[in-house]
Each structure stands twice: as structure tokens, then as C-alpha cells.
Amino acid sequence: MPESTGSGAGTAQAALDAVQRYPCEAIAIARRVLAGGPTVGADERSTAERAVGLALRELNDLPGALRHLRRAVRAAGTPRARALARMSLGYVLANAGRTGAALRAVTAALPRLTGADAGRARMQRGVVLHYRGRYDEAVRDYGLAIEIAQREGDLLLEARARNNRGLLNAHRGAAGGSGDDLSQAADAFHRLGLDLAAADARWNGGIAAGRRGDIAGALRCFAAVDEEYRRLAVPRPALLLDRFELLLSVPLVDDAAEVARAAVQALRRRGLASDLAEALLAQARAALLAGDLDTATEAAAAARVRFRRQGRRTWAVFARHVELRAEHRRGARSVALLTAMVRTADQLDATGWRGPALTTRLEAGLLAAALGRTGRARDLLTVAARARRRGTADRRAQGWYALALSRRILGDDPGAARALRRGLSVLDRHRMSLGATELRAHSGAYGQELAAEGLDIAVRSGAPARVLAWAERWRANALRARPARPPDDPDLVAALAELRLVSGLLEDEVLAGRPAHALRGRQARLEQHIRDLARRAPGGDVVVVAPNVAALAARLGSRVLVELVAHGDRLRAVLVRDGRAGLHDLGPLADAVDLARRHRFALRRLVTTGDSAAARAGAAHAAAALDRQLFDPLRRRLADRALVIVPVGALHAVPWSALPTCAGRAVAVAPSAAAWLGADRREPPAGPPVLAAGPRLPAAHAEVRRLASVLPGARLLTGTDATATALTDALDGAGLVHIAAHGTFRADNPQFSTLELADGPLFAYEWERVARPPGCVVLSACDSGLTGVRPGDEVLGFTAVLLALGARCLIAAVLPVPAEPTTALMLDLHRRMRAGARPARALADAQRAFGVADDGPARATAAAFVCFGAG
């Protein structure tokens, strides 16, 4: 949170000075001033009212804060005092989500202020612009505040402005300056003896590291600052919960659960009952997402009891919501549970928390149907279905889902399928217009439910083409369009930032038990505004069409497509060959996932711990077992043809060429049939090859220099020449790009995925400016082909980024790979592609050549590489 401050006079100034350290004491001092009656001067009364208002803001009482700050404006006797009061009023208006009024208040204050006061006003205006999403203007005002502070010798103002500017640059992913600002702010706070403020600035440095994709670095920073908070004996539960939310959004569910557990332990030791209840609720939420249903139930129940004792009824209802959902997911089926879920849904509605109310009512409808109470189920689902008519996109989609479920109860599967398609269309428009993965992910789970219901209808019909259509309907949709506008579009950036702000304020208001009708309306209007911005831009409108069998057959030729599909607890495959599709049952999904994990473990052990008979035997056994499950039912139809494989879930990480059926066979792996079809249709550019080596990888420089002899005319980027700008420029129109560099994959937002270059990280955002994406990209670093998989089989990482940008294929490793055999494999691969072999064929032949000499670590290294995309 950006900081704000002000100034005043007399005893009232003492109250103002105490606001951030001791808000309750500040209120007490200010009220003693106000109790003085007519003897108190106008400006001192205004300052006291400011102190009360700002202290109430620290205590999260925004209505009370606004009331006192308006009094401060009215009470002021001089233009300066009135301007200072308006400055503070603007700060709290921004917190309340009224950023337009906030900007007017602070801007009106500016002409009346000089010197350090003007610097504080400039900083405050920067805070409001920050909330408004007008980042460049905010940075400029923060910079002006810093200049004034330096001229006036006001180190505290400079520190606060630097802290704000650094935090803003970190949140928006600015290339430079944020770390320097935050470290200077921390040093200045330390020199001023403000150890708590210094710790907060260092905490913000951890946030900046996380935004850069350096999750490990962020966690180290947070741990160090935790130690400082303990030394200062100042609890910071809100910051712990901020870290929890950040980790959950990545999503690093296990790490988030650990943070929540640590917060519970620390707060229990300190006896901070209020904060402990919130930490228990965080623990329950993380456990629910992680599938640890016992912990989720216990933690939610404990949090609910504590909230009720504290009189925090809104929080108690939310905790009950989590508790009941955990029970339902555990498989509990009883009338008592149904009654509790219905009652909780009604209570959530009454408190204004309509999203959780809708989810609870939907699950209650499913429970009623499972209990055989079809009438009750239809009643609940009918109420839930009303949400399809209005509200945010995720709620409308859930409403269509409820309607589909009610129609299935009546036996109307065609009508159910129509409702499901309507719901998915709502989410299509929402996700594609927003563009930001962090916002799309919120609706992803709902889309998965709708698509799974449609898939179930298709499987039960026994029609392979329908199964393929529904499997594709919500699979890897994010890859079907490039971003609607480049990321420097100020209107879209500002609208998205404001939507994030409004969503957070809305949740805060609901948790506090206050009405939030205005914020809900504003949220809906912002969503419409963002859709409008996207529609005006080239490529903003996206029609999601699942590829049909005929379209696939036209591109496949002699190749065979195998699309894996999760249907409940079964793994199925749709196989397309010679224009005909077939549906096959491959057995339990859990068995395939377990075998895939064992296979990866065995290969990783073979590569990283050295050759041994046990390691070879383990890898061979796991590969044979996985191969039998996946391919025995398909073997007659596969023959010896090249394959296009569309995996599911954890199977995206399979090193396919290590399986007997795939060894020596050209295999292209794609996130979806639609993604493969789009990639295969693209004509690769004919520009010269580009070879780049990043820092901290000595073998990378040797690798690209050897490759330069194989690829004459290639542009070589090494050492200080391997900068983000140079590589981005070189990508445009390149037929082939080979990059040996450390990579960071941002599962929360693939546009922040990075490659480490000489001058720092190259963001995927920057690749969007490339007018002609490269044809084939080869990444030779460890695990560079690994992906994060979200609901709907959204594949996140460089595979997704590059295919979405328009690259035809990507060759990358899904396992750790040692340097020397990797370089040899890369040389062989590029020689074969140079001779005219398609990437998938060239990779298969290079991998087979390695296996002739060695079936141990070298062969495992070769098998780690996968050809993604068209191949």
C-alpha cells in the first residue's frame, strides 16, 4: 500500500504525527483537542479532525475517516489548512474506490501549497493516480515529490515517495529503478530511526522480486523481514496474508499453505486472537485448493468459532462457507449438510457476498440431486440460474451452468448442452477481452465445470467427434489469440489496474459487512469498458471454434492425432486418422498420472545422479508401464505413423521419446488440437537464424559459437551484446532462434515470463511487439519446456507464450539436462534441420542417434527434449 502523510500545528500536530505508529492514541489526543470548544483555533481543529480521520483509515473504518476529513476541510481557517485537509481526504477517497473524487480533491489542494507541503501533495496525487492506473503520471508526481524533498532537505518525504515509486514500478513490471528506490527508501527510514518503515520497504522489495518472477528471492526477502518484525515485536498479519494471496495467485498452493500455517503458529504464540482467526481462514482456503480436506474443515471451523466470539459475523459466514465446501468435496452426502449449505447460501446473500453464495447454492443443488431430492435440486438450481441474467461474467457463467444442471435433471441433454455453450461464450468474451491471466484464471474453474459437463454429455452419446469438440471447447483457449493491444496501451492498462483495485475494494467492503452496491456496479461497468477497448483494437474479437475432424484431417495427412481427455476418473483418447475419429478408454486417470511421475523421477535420477543398473531398470520399467496404458488400446491404429499428441494435466510433462512407442518416431506435442492446427497452418519466416547466450551459463557461450559453424549467416548474441532489446529486434522475422539462457516461468501471468539476458530479464510482454514471430525456437536450458497447468488445461510457460505469439514450434527440455551432452544433441539437431528435416523428425533422429551409443544418462538427456507445436 502506498503511504501518505501530512502536517498541522500545536497539540493537534502531535496527534497527526502519531497516526501511523499509534492510531488509537492519535485519536485520543485529537479528541482532547476537539473537546476544547471555542478556544481551539480553526486550523488546529482542522488538523485534529485530520488526525482522527487518518487514524480511522489505519483502523479500516473508511466511512468514519471520510466523515472526519470532510469536517477537517470545513473547519479550516486558512487556505493552507484547507488544502492539507483536502489532500488527506483525497487519500481516503482513493482507498474507498472513489478515485475520480480523490483526484479532484488532491489536484485542488496543489495550488495552495508550497515547499515540503507541495511535495507531500505531489506524492499524494501520485498515490491517487497510482490507484487510477495512470502509472506514468503517478511516477512523474512521485519524482517531483522526491525533487522537492531533496531541495527542502526532507528525508522522510523522500523516503516515502521512493517507497511508493518503487512499489508502483514493481507492480507494473517496469524494467528498472524499483529495487534501487526501495533500497534507498529502506536506508533512509533506517537513518531516521524508523525501523518499522524500513522493514516495510524491504518487504516491498520482496514483492518486487516476486513480480519479476523471482519467487525464491521474494520468499527469502519475506523470511528476513519476518525476522525483523519479530525483533521489533510488531505483528504484521496483513502482510502475511498479502504474501499468502500472492503465492496462491501464482499458484504456489503448497507454499501458500505453509505461509498460512506459519502465520497461525506465530499469531497463536502472541495471543492475537483477531489476526489468528484470519490466519486460520487463510489456512482453510489453501488446504481446500490443495485437496487437504481434513485441514480445510478443521481450520475453517476453528476460524468460524473465533469470528463469532469476536462478533465478526460476515467473516464467520465466509468461514462456514469454506467448511461446508470441504465437507462436500470429501464426499459427505446428508440432509443435514444440505440444510446447512442452503442456510449458509442465504446468509451469504444477506451479507452481500453473492459470489460465494452462488457457489454454495450450486453445490447444494448437486448435493440435493445426489440425495435423490430432484425437486429440491431443481428449486436450488433455478434460483442459482437467475445469475445468468446479470452481474460479472463468472457469475453469469455459473448461472448458465446451474440452468444446464437443472435441464439434465429433466433428461434434456440437448438443452443442457445449449446452456453450457452459452455459459462458455460468456467466459470467452470475458477472458479474451481482459487479457490478464490473473483475471481470466478466476473464471477458469467455472469454465472447466461447464466444459466437463458438456464432455460428459458427449461421452455418454458415444460420438467421438462430439467428444473432440467438447474436449477442445475449453482447452488452452488463451493460446487462440495474441493480445488485443500491446502492453503499453495506456487505456487498457489503466482499465485493468482499476478493475483489480475495484475488485479488492469490493471484497474489503463485503468482509467488513458494509454495503457495496456502488462498487459492484462500477465493477460491471469497468468490465464492459475493457471489452470495448479490446474490441476497438486489432484482434480484439476472438471467436472460439473447436476444430472439427475434417479440418484436422486436411492438415494431418498421414499423421495421427491422439487427444487425451480426462472424463471423471477415466482417461480417454480421441484418435483422428485418415479423416475418421475413434474414442478409446485408456483406463484410470490416476494410474497414468502416477506412472508419468514415476517415469520422470526415474529419468531425473538417471540424468542427475549418474548411471546405474537400478536407475536404468527403474526408467525402463516405468516407461514400459506408461506406454502400455497409453498406447496398447491404440496400437493397431497408430502403425508407424508420425504422431501429434495433445496431453492432459500432469501428462504435459511426459518426455515422450523415452516411451517405446514414441522412440524414433516424429512426435509433436500441442496444448490443444486447435493450437496445433493454427501452428501447422503458419508459414515460417525466412529470416537468418539467431543464436543467443545468456549470463551465468558458461557452457551456453561455447554452445552458440559451435552452432554458428553449423548455421552460417546466423546472428550471434553473446556477452554484453545479448541484451533484451537486441534479442527482441533479432526475433522479428527469424526463421530459427536458439537461446541458451536461464528462464523464469510466471504461472500467474505468462506475459511476465522471462529469459535472463545481459541487461536483465526479457519479458514476454516485449515479445508481443514482434511483428513477425520466429518460425522455430529452441531453448536448451534445464526444464525450459515445463509448464504450469491451470483449469481447462491452460498451459502456462514459454510453450504457451511462444505458440500464442505465432511461433510455429518450440523445442525445449522437460527435465534437467547436463551441458556437454546437450550441446552435442543440439549440434546434431540443427544439422538435421539445416538439411531439410522437419523439427519433430530431426529431433527424433537426433535422439535415436544418441541411444545407439548409450542407453543411460546421455540417452535420458536426449529424451528430455520435446517438440511442441506444429513440428
Side-chain angles (χ1 to χ4, degrees), residues 212-265:
R212 291 194 302 270
D214 182 10
I215 301 299
L219 292 176
R220 286 194 297 271
C221 178
F222 289 151
V225 179
D226 279 340
E227 291 291 336
E228 180 69 2
Y229 286 142
R230 281 195 285 272
R231 184 187 71 79
L232 296 170
V234 176
R236 275 291 192 255
L239 295 182
L240 286 174
L241 294 177
D242 284 344
R243 179 170 64 173
F244 163 82
E245 297 290 352
L246 177 63
L247 291 171
L248 213 58
S249 72
V250 173
L252 295 173
V253 177
D254 291 341
D255 290 335
E258 178 60 26
V259 168
R261 185 195 62 79
V264 168
Q265 290 182 343

Side-chain angles (χ1 to χ4, degrees), residues 502-633:
V502 168
S503 298
L505 291 171
L506 176 58
E507 184 170 348
D508 290 343
E509 290 298 285
V510 171
L511 286 174
R514 292 188 288 266
H517 303 298
L519 285 173
R520 288 195 186 90
R522 187 169 166 213
Q523 183 185 51
R525 289 192 297 273
L526 274 170
E527 288 185 351
Q528 183 61 53
H529 179 52
I530 291 167
R531 285 194 292 271
D532 291 342
L533 289 172
R535 289 175 184 146
R536 288 204 304 264
D541 288 324
V542 179
V543 179
V544 179
V545 179
N548 56 39
V549 173
L552 290 169
R555 297 301 303 185
L556 282 169
S558 64
R559 291 171 288 188
V560 177
L561 180 137
V562 177
E563 177 145 347
L564 302 178
V565 179
H567 176 230
D569 60 358
R570 305 295 292 181
L571 180 65
R572 303 185 190 275
V574 177
L575 185 147
V576 179
R577 168 181 159 160
D578 297 335
R580 299 183 62 185
L583 179 62
H584 305 266
D585 188 342
L586 304 185
L589 175 61
D591 288 357
V593 170
D594 181 61
L595 287 171
R597 287 173 177 162
R598 294 184 185 209
H599 184 221
R600 282 183 52 78
F601 174 79
L603 286 179
R604 182 181 289 268
R605 180 183 174 195
L606 191 59
V607 170
T608 59
T609 64
D611 195 6
S612 71
R616 291 191 189 197
H621 180 269
L626 181 59
D627 190 84
R628 283 193 299 271
Q629 179 173 357
L630 296 181
F631 296 115
D632 273 2

Side-chain angles (χ1 to χ4, degrees), residues 455-829:
L455 179 66
D456 184 67
I457 294 172
V459 169
R460 293 180 188 280
S461 76
R466 290 184 189 175
V467 174
L468 178 65
W470 274 105
E472 285 286 305
R473 186 60 186 80
W474 196 248
R475 173 171 272 176
N477 276 355
L479 302 186
R480 301 192 188 189
R482 295 185 68 174
R485 295 183 69 125
D488 56 357
D489 170 19
D491 292 336
L492 185 55
V493 170
L496 288 168
E498 189 171 358
L499 180 59
R500 284 192 292 270
L501 171 65
V502 168
S503 298
L505 291 171
L506 176 58
E507 184 170 348
D508 290 343
E509 290 298 285
V510 171
L511 286 174
R514 292 188 288 266
H517 303 298
L519 285 173
R520 288 195 186 90
R522 187 169 166 213
Q523 183 185 51
R525 289 192 297 273
L526 274 170
E527 288 185 351
Q528 183 61 53
H529 179 52
I530 291 167
R531 285 194 292 271
D532 291 342
L533 289 172
R535 289 175 184 146
R536 288 204 304 264
D541 288 324
V542 179
V543 179
V544 179
V545 179
N548 56 39
V549 173
L552 290 169
R555 297 301 303 185
L556 282 169
S558 64
R559 291 171 288 188
V560 177
L561 180 137
V562 177
E563 177 145 347
L564 302 178
V565 179
H567 176 230
D569 60 358
R570 305 295 292 181
L571 180 65
R572 303 185 190 275
V574 177
L575 185 147
V576 179
R577 168 181 159 160
D578 297 335
R580 299 183 62 185
L583 179 62
H584 305 266
D585 188 342
L586 304 185
L589 175 61
D591 288 357
V593 170
D594 181 61
L595 287 171
R597 287 173 177 162
R598 294 184 185 209
H599 184 221
R600 282 183 52 78
F601 174 79
L603 286 179
R604 182 181 289 268
R605 180 183 174 195
L606 191 59
V607 170
T608 59
T609 64
D611 195 6
S612 71
R616 291 191 189 197
H621 180 269
L626 181 59
D627 190 84
R628 283 193 299 271
Q629 179 173 357
L630 296 181
F631 296 115
D632 273 2
L634 315 176
R635 201 166 304 282
R636 184 179 61 84
R637 299 278 294 158
L638 296 180
D640 60 352
R641 300 192 183 196
L643 298 181
V644 176
I645 298 176
V646 178
V648 64
L651 301 185
H652 282 283
V654 169
W656 294 95
S657 68
L659 303 185
T661 296
C662 298
R665 188 192 301 252
V667 176
V669 178
S672 68
W676 174 82
L677 186 60
D680 198 68
R681 285 172 171 167
R682 295 183 193 119
E683 286 297 325
V690 175
L691 308 175
R696 300 192 302 112
L697 281 174
H701 297 269
E703 179 174 301
V704 298
R705 288 193 177 93
R706 293 178 66 184
L707 286 172
S709 65
V710 176
L711 301 169
R715 180 175 178 181
L716 195 63
L717 298 174
T718 60
T720 57
D721 293 333
T723 64
T725 299
L727 181 56
T728 301
D729 291 342
L731 289 175
D732 197 315
L736 173 69
V737 176
H738 181 103
I739 305 171
H742 287 298
T744 300
F745 309 114
R746 287 288 303 273
D748 62 326
N749 191 331
Q751 292 168 310
F752 279 116
S753 297
T754 62
L755 288 173
E756 184 180 345
L757 297 175
D759 58 345
L762 170 66
F763 289 96
Y765 265 127
E766 299 169 80
W767 289 36
E768 293 167 5
R769 298 188 181 95
V770 177
R772 297 170 299 163
C776 179
V777 178
V778 181
L779 300 178
S780 64
C782 296
D783 295 327
S784 52
L786 282 180
T787 57
V789 183
R790 287 285 188 87
D793 275 316
E794 287 290 356
V795 179
L796 301 173
F798 269 104
T799 301
V801 172
L802 290 169
L803 292 180
L805 289 175
R808 203 166 186 275
C809 74
L810 164 70
I811 295 175
V814 295
L815 288 165
V817 286
E820 290 187 8
T822 295
T823 297
L825 177 71
M826 293 295 100
L827 288 167
D828 192 8
L829 168 69

